[in-house]
Amino acid sequence: MMRSLIPAVLICFAASACSETTQVSDDLQESQTDTANPTGRTERVGANPGERPVRIGEGGPRFDACQAMGRVTGLREAELDVLIAPFDAAERKDSLSAGQLVHICTRSHDQQWLGIVYDDTAAAAEPNADGAATGGSQDCGVSSPVRSKRNYDGPCKSGWVESTFVRLVAG
């Protein structure tokens, strides 16, 4: 009885493992079309040596580049500091007001920091009746899939914020 079950289980396992495949050759042709930069890497000119860029596409090529949206909330002070790296001692690069919407793209290993992308024109906009900032495109090019994981390079701003002060609203 037991010997007859083993082949059946192996067949089921093999069939489920092969149900969805991705061919390396699917992306190979596309990557080889840029002869000037076949790897797709870009140099970060003038970047701070302590800066840790926000990564997008961590969910894979079938998911949005940033898979969640959050709202800045519960601040102790008037604004939330946006830092260049996920560390308390990291340099401040910007700040966000309560109610600001952000795209959540990545997290630090300890889950204390979120790598975010945000539309800086929304921060300057007047808040609506709910206290949320309005205006700006809020897309920032991260609401659709990217081919592979990479550093975010615009058109919006990016940085690291404490996860305690961002409430998940979508994703």
Side-chain angles (χ1 to χ4, degrees):
M1 173 87 173
M2 187 63 134
R3 291 180 190 230
S4 63
L5 282 177
I6 292 174
V9 169
L10 289 176
I11 291 171
C12 289
F13 180 71
S16 66
C18 297
S19 64
E20 190 172 316
T21 60
T22 302
Q23 298 287 329
V24 173
S25 60
D26 293 345
D27 289 334
L28 185 60
Q29 184 64 34
E30 186 177 332
S31 69
Q32 291 178 340
T33 59
D34 185 3
T35 57
N37 188 8
T39 63
R41 295 184 181 149
T42 58
E43 286 295 320
R44 295 177 46 217
V45 179
N48 185 320
E51 186 170 3
R52 181 168 168 203
V54 172
R55 302 279 290 172
I56 62 172
E58 292 191 344
R62 296 183 183 180
F63 296 96
D64 290 346
C66 294
Q67 296 182 25
M69 290 286 295
R71 184 177 307 279
V72 175
T73 185
L75 299 178
R76 289 180 234 147
E77 298 178 16
E79 295 180 324
L80 176 62
D81 288 340
V82 178
L83 306 178
I84 65 169
F87 310 104
D88 285 325
E91 183 180 319
R92 179 184 177 273
K93 74 187 291 186
D94 202 359
S95 63
L96 300 173
S97 301
Q100 171 79 36
L101 285 173
V102 297
H103 296 274
I104 301 170
C105 305
T106 190
R107 299 173 188 271
S108 61
H109 290 294
D110 63 4
Q111 305 291 315
Q112 182 180 351
W113 299 93
L114 298 176
I116 62 163
V117 170
Y118 59 98
D119 182 359
D120 62 338
T121 61
E126 292 296 317
N128 63 18
D130 297 331
T134 59
S137 71
Q138 291 296 323
D139 176 28
C140 298
V142 295
S143 296
S144 56
V146 292
R147 193 177 83 209
S148 60
K149 297 176 191 177
R150 62 179 171 86
N151 296 341
Y152 180 73
D153 59 0
C156 296
K157 292 184 176 182
S158 64
W160 295 88
V161 296
E162 288 185 75
S163 61
T164 305
F165 303 110
V166 179
R167 185 181 68 214
L168 187 68
V169 295

